[in-house]
Amino acid sequence: MKDLSHYYRVLGIEPGASLEDVNQAYKDLVFVWHPDRIPQDNERLHKKAQEKIKEINHARDQLRSAKDKVRSSAGRESGHSSTRNNGREASRYGSRESSRESSRYGSRESSRESSREAERESSRQASRESSQESNRESSRESSREAEREDRYSRAKTNSANGRTAQSSSYSSPPPPSAAQSSSRSYQSPPQAARSYYSAAQSSPPTSRTNSASTSESTAQAKPPSPSSPGNRGYQAPPASNYQAAQPKKPIHPDLSGRDFQESDLSERDFSNYNLSNANFRKANLSDAFMHRTNLTEANLEEANLFRANLFQASLRGANLRSANLVAADLCGADLRGADLTGAKMGINRSAARIMGADLQGAILPDGTVHP
């Protein structure tokens, strides 16, 4: 079994902290690492958040059980010391005092038994709460997995329906009837051709020149339409009204250059927005989702970005002077040339996460320039 100091470090508190501190640290970390706060398209962060939640739950349960054991052992020690004191008092004051002490001891023993029973009940209650929390987490995870499977199956079904509809847009001509099959060897000429043949038979050609001119005029005659009675050839199928379903593209407004100075934008979702050159001076952006947001040369001076999600955001040349970046997620962000002078980055478990961030030429909080 791991040392309890490891579980204190997981929760980011000092060893020997009280149960109230343990519960508060647990709530803070669950708020930061809850999988529902991670964008759905980031599978890597989702997996990391799930592992982090399991580790936090395990650390909280271990520290709770350790606290319960210490409390129960302290109760037993106090019971033993009281027993020894009672024995000395009985031998000192005689039989009458001994009988009185015995009755008192009986009442104290019953009270201690009731206190032990209450401690056991609280321990059972804590274990039940932990089990219920684990069950709720597993049920939420299974529901999210089922929802993803359902979305995938619907997309697959829509794609298959689109292919089926496209292939069914062409309808082959109906098979010929028995009468048409029997007369396939000979087809009567169309109406215009029959009239020409009749005229040619009634008036024989006078010369070779007249025959040639008559042939040219017949060749230039308008061909019969496909719907005429004499035309038994291929008929074009009717045009299909089906239109393949096109996936809707998300609309991300262009808010470049907008003025949000001192605005309360807490928990707003600006993911994939274009906010270049926007003014967020002294704005409240705590817990805001700015996943892959374009904040190039934006003014974020003295802005509150506590626990803001700036994963892979573009902050190139942005003004972050004296900004609050405690517990903010800047993993993979582009901070080239950004000014972070005097920015609050936090410490220990509340420090800003900048793993994979590009800090080339950025001015760090202490005033130095990153190479």
Side-chain angles (χ1 to χ4, degrees):
M1 183 177 177
K2 294 183 179 179
D3 187 17
L4 289 179
S5 60
H6 168 73
Y7 300 119
Y8 282 111
R9 286 195 299 270
V10 170
L11 294 179
I13 56 180
E14 295 295 330
S18 64
L19 185 60
E20 289 77 9
D21 293 337
V22 171
N23 291 333
Q24 186 60 44
Y26 169 77
K27 291 178 182 177
D28 292 343
L29 290 176
V30 166
F31 183 81
V32 173
W33 287 102
H34 200 283
D36 291 343
R37 295 179 61 81
I38 307 299
Q40 295 292 332
D41 57 349
N42 196 327
E43 186 176 355
R44 180 184 66 81
L45 278 183
H46 258 286
K47 185 176 180 181
K48 182 178 179 180
Q50 292 169 6
E51 294 174 354
K52 196 70 176 177
I53 284 293
K54 290 179 181 178
E55 184 180 8
I56 293 168
N57 286 335
H58 182 66
R60 189 272 309 266
D61 295 340
Q62 292 297 326
L63 291 177
R64 274 187 175 178
S65 61
K67 294 285 184 184
D68 293 336
K69 289 179 181 178
V70 170
R71 191 181 301 138
S72 60
S73 63
R76 285 194 295 271
E77 285 296 329
S78 63
H80 292 323
S81 63
S82 298
T83 303
R84 288 194 295 271
N85 291 333
N86 289 335
R88 286 196 295 270
E89 289 294 327
S91 62
R92 184 181 302 170
Y93 294 106
S95 60
R96 286 181 303 181
E97 291 295 329
S98 177
S99 62
R100 284 198 295 267
E101 287 298 326
S102 298
S103 62
R104 290 175 193 156
Y105 173 75
S107 62
R108 282 196 295 269
E109 188 64 28
S110 62
S111 65
R112 280 197 296 273
E113 184 64 29
S114 61
S115 66
R116 291 195 199 101
E117 183 64 28
E119 290 173 359
R120 285 195 292 269
E121 183 63 27
S122 64
S123 177
R124 285 194 293 269
Q125 181 66 20
S127 63
R128 282 196 296 269
E129 289 179 0
S130 176
S131 175
Q132 290 172 0
E133 182 67 24
S134 301
N135 292 336
R136 283 195 292 269
E137 285 294 332
S138 61
S139 64
R140 282 196 291 267
E141 181 62 28
S142 60
S143 64
R144 285 194 293 271
E145 185 66 27
E147 186 178 355
R148 285 195 292 269
E149 289 291 334
D150 184 51
R151 283 201 299 268
Y152 174 74
S153 61
R154 283 202 302 269
K156 195 172 182 181
T157 303
N158 292 336
S159 177
N161 291 339
R163 288 195 295 269
T164 304
Q166 288 177 355
S167 62
S168 63
S169 62
Y170 169 75
S171 60
S172 59
S177 61
Q180 291 174 351
S181 300
S182 62
S183 62
R184 185 176 295 174
S185 59
Y186 171 76
Q187 294 182 358
S188 60
Q191 187 70 25
R194 283 202 299 269
S195 61
Y196 167 74
Y197 293 147
S198 300
Q201 289 176 0
S202 60
S203 59
T206 56
S207 65
R208 183 177 297 177
T209 305
N210 292 338
S211 298
S213 61
T214 305
S215 300
E216 291 176 359
S217 63
T218 305
Q220 295 175 359
K222 182 179 180 180
S225 62
S227 60
S228 63
N231 186 10
R232 301 178 183 270
Y234 168 75
Q235 295 182 2
S240 174
N241 293 327
Y242 173 77
Q243 293 183 354
Q246 298 294 331
K248 294 183 178 180
K249 296 182 178 179
I251 300 174
H252 303 302
D254 184 0
L255 302 178
S256 58
R258 290 284 295 273
D259 186 7
F260 296 101
Q261 182 171 344
E262 299 182 0
S263 299
D264 186 6
L265 304 172
S266 178
E267 299 184 1
R268 286 283 297 273
D269 189 356
F270 290 109
S271 298
N272 297 297
Y273 277 38
N274 180 15
L275 293 167
S276 59
N277 296 297
N279 182 17
F280 290 98
R281 187 174 184 274
K282 293 185 178 181
N284 181 17
L285 290 164
S286 61
D287 297 301
F289 287 92
M290 308 183 87
H291 179 72
R292 290 179 180 155
T293 303
N294 182 11
L295 290 164
T296 303
E297 296 184 357
N299 183 14
L300 294 159
E301 185 177 1
E302 300 182 24
N304 182 16
L305 292 163
F306 176 68
R307 279 196 303 240
N309 186 350
L310 291 158
F311 179 75
Q312 293 184 352
S314 176
L315 291 158
R316 189 169 183 176
N319 180 10
L320 291 161
R321 296 172 67 91
S322 303
N324 182 13
L325 296 173
V326 175
D329 186 0
L330 291 163
C331 296
D334 185 0
L335 289 163
R336 289 177 292 176
D339 188 357
L340 297 163
T341 304
K344 300 175 185 176
M345 305 299 287
I347 57 174
N348 297 333
R349 62 186 177 89
S350 61
R353 295 184 292 277
I354 56 173
M355 293 178 294
D358 190 353
L359 294 166
Q360 182 180 359
I363 303 175
L364 302 181
D366 58 357
T368 60
V369 179
H370 194 278

